[in-house]
Amino acid sequence: APNVGLTEELAIAAATAGVGRVVFTSSRMVYPGHLTEPLREDCAEPADSFYGLSKRMAEEVLALHGRRTGLTTVSLRVAQVVGDGDGGRGALPRLVEQALAGGPVTVNGAGAMVRDFVEVRDVARAVGLAVAAEASSPDGQLVANIGTGGFSVREMADEVARQCGLPPEAVTTRAVEREDTSVYRLDCTRAEQALGWRPELGLAEMVRDRVSRG
C-alpha cells in the first residue's frame, strides 16, 4: 500500500540524510469502530478497514527504521479534521447547510454515532510541537492521539441549530433500518504529557467557524 511503501522510503531517506526526527500523520482509523471506551495508544485491537491497517503498518515500519538507525519518530493518530481546507465533506458541513437554509436539521436515527473531530489549527499546532519536542518514550518512537474526545451527531446537530438561531424542534430524526452506533473517542492524555498539546478549539468553535464560512 502507498501509505506503507512511501513511509518506508521517507524513513530511509531521512536516516541517510541525517535527519533527527520524522513526524508522521496517522489516523484514528487505526482503531476499530466497535469499541466504546476512549481509545488509547496501547489498544491492541486491529483496524477494521484497509486504510486503517495501512496507517498502522506505516507507523510500525517507521518505528522499526527509527530503532535501527537512531531516528526518532512521532506518529500522530489524528481524529477527523475540520476547518479551512476540509472541502466541505462530512456531517458538520451538511448540518450547517441545512440550518442556514432554515432547517430542518436531520440526523439518522437517534444520531448516536460518535466521531472525534479536531480543528485543523489544533492539528497544525500538534505537528509543530511534535517536530520541536523530545519524543517522550524509552526507544524514541512516540505514538500519540490528536483529537477532542468526540461527540455524537445529535450533539453536533443541536449545537448547529442553536448557533443558527433555530429552535430545538428544528432538529429532526430520519428513520433508518440499522443505525450506526460506532464510537471514536480518542484519549489524548499522552499528547498532553509528551508534547504539551491539548485541543484549544471544541465543538462550539468548530460550528462557529463553519457557520461563518457558510
Side-chain angles (χ1 to χ4, degrees), residues 21-24 41 59 62-63 67 71-77 129-130 133-145 190-196:
R21 174 174 302 136
V22 171
V23 177
F24 174 62
E41 294 85 354
E59 290 179 8
L62 185 62
R67 288 190 293 270
L71 182 73
T72 63
T73 70
V74 183
S75 291
L76 302 177
R77 293 178 176 173
L129 288 169
E134 290 297 325
S136 179
S137 63
D139 62 357
Q141 317 308 316
L142 177 69
V143 177
N145 291 332
R190 183 180 292 179
E192 182 173 358
Q193 294 175 342
L195 302 175

Side-chain angles (χ1 to χ4, degrees), residues 129-192:
L129 288 169
V131 170
E134 290 297 325
S136 179
S137 63
D139 62 357
Q141 317 308 316
L142 177 69
V143 177
N145 291 332
I146 301 297
T148 55
F151 31 82
S152 70
V153 172
R154 179 63 194 233
E155 289 176 293
M156 293 170 54
D158 288 341
E159 180 65 21
V160 166
R162 186 188 68 80
Q163 290 202 27
C164 291
L166 300 178
E169 55 269 23
V171 179
T172 62
T173 60
R174 179 191 296 122
V176 291
E177 184 174 335
R178 185 174 183 179
E179 183 166 359
D180 185 350
T181 58
S182 58
V183 173
Y184 286 95
R185 293 187 186 274
L186 301 186
D187 181 328
C188 299
T189 303
R190 183 180 292 179
E192 182 173 358

Side-chain angles (χ1 to χ4, degrees), residues 89 102 107 113 137:
R89 297 181 296 273
V107 299
M113 180 180 73
S137 63

Side-chain angles (χ1 to χ4, degrees), residues 16-207:
T16 301
V19 172
R21 174 174 302 136
V22 171
V23 177
F24 174 62
T25 51
S26 187
S27 169
R28 66 174 174 86
M29 296 300 291
V30 302
Y31 303 112
H34 68 272
L35 304 176
T36 58
E37 296 298 316
L39 299 161
R40 294 168 51 91
E41 294 85 354
D42 57 3
C43 172
E45 293 274 359
D48 56 8
S49 70
F50 288 109
Y51 175 76
L53 177 62
S54 72
K55 282 291 193 179
R56 177 69 73 100
M57 292 175 66
E59 290 179 8
E60 294 177 356
V61 165
L62 185 62
L64 178 59
H65 278 284
R67 288 190 293 270
R68 287 182 172 179
T69 64
L71 182 73
T72 63
T73 70
V74 183
S75 291
L76 302 177
R77 293 178 176 173
V78 180
Q80 188 168 338
V81 182
V82 299
D84 192 21
D86 64 13
R89 297 181 296 273
L92 182 58
R94 176 182 64 81
L95 295 171
V96 169
E97 182 180 6
Q98 292 176 343
L100 291 178
V105 179
T106 59
V107 299
N108 290 330
M113 180 180 73
V114 173
R115 289 293 179 266
D116 200 320
F117 291 83
V118 62
E119 218 279 339
V120 65
R121 287 167 290 183
D122 274 332
V123 176
R125 191 165 48 82
V127 171
L129 288 169
V131 170
E134 290 297 325
S136 179
S137 63
D139 62 357
Q141 317 308 316
L142 177 69
V143 177
N145 291 332
I146 301 297
T148 55
F151 31 82
S152 70
V153 172
R154 179 63 194 233
E155 289 176 293
M156 293 170 54
D158 288 341
E159 180 65 21
V160 166
R162 186 188 68 80
Q163 290 202 27
C164 291
L166 300 178
E169 55 269 23
V171 179
T172 62
T173 60
R174 179 191 296 122
V176 291
E177 184 174 335
R178 185 174 183 179
E179 183 166 359
D180 185 350
T181 58
S182 58
V183 173
Y184 286 95
R185 293 187 186 274
L186 301 186
D187 181 328
C188 299
T189 303
R190 183 180 292 179
E192 182 173 358
Q193 294 175 342
L195 302 175
W197 180 91
R198 66 169 61 182
E200 294 180 349
L201 303 169
L203 176 58
E205 289 80 13
M206 294 180 206
V207 171

